[in-house]
Amino acid sequence: RNGEQLRIICEDNKYDFKLQEIRDMKEIVIIKPGDEILIECNFQTLDRSGITFVSLFFYLQIFHCF
């Protein structure tokens, strides 16, 4: 807010695409007009020898966070 990151709302370093669950927030998060939400997703593909293709549906499902 106003150029400053307030805090991390939620972090999941062990996300499993096959196990999708809802996370309840411990406290209410107030998002005001002009605030930005950054969603970061990292894919581990070092164990693959070929190209990894991802569909638009995959992104829409992953980033349906808030």
Side-chain angles (χ1 to χ4, degrees), residues 17 54-62:
F17 187 76
V54 179
S55 70
L56 177 60
F57 175 75
F58 175 79
Y59 277 109
L60 293 176
Q61 190 173 17
I62 291 288

Side-chain angles (χ1 to χ4, degrees), residues 2-66:
N2 298 323
E4 297 279 328
Q5 179 178 327
L6 299 179
R7 65 186 177 96
I8 294 175
I9 296 173
C10 183
E11 185 174 16
D12 185 353
N13 293 319
K14 305 284 188 211
Y15 180 79
D16 183 350
F17 187 76
K18 294 176 240 149
L19 174 64
Q20 298 182 27
E21 56 190 342
I22 294 174
R23 302 248 183 353
D24 290 329
M25 300 294 172
K26 294 177 181 159
E27 57 188 64
I28 294 174
V29 176
I30 297 173
I31 300 172
K32 296 183 177 183
D35 285 353
E36 297 178 6
I37 298 175
L38 173 66
I39 300 170
E40 184 177 302
C41 184
N42 297 305
F43 296 94
Q44 173 57 271
T45 59
L46 294 174
D47 60 336
R48 300 178 189 175
S49 60
I51 297 172
T52 301
F53 293 97
V54 179
S55 70
L56 177 60
F57 175 75
F58 175 79
Y59 277 109
L60 293 176
Q61 190 173 17
I62 291 288
F63 297 127
H64 191 174
C65 296
F66 299 98

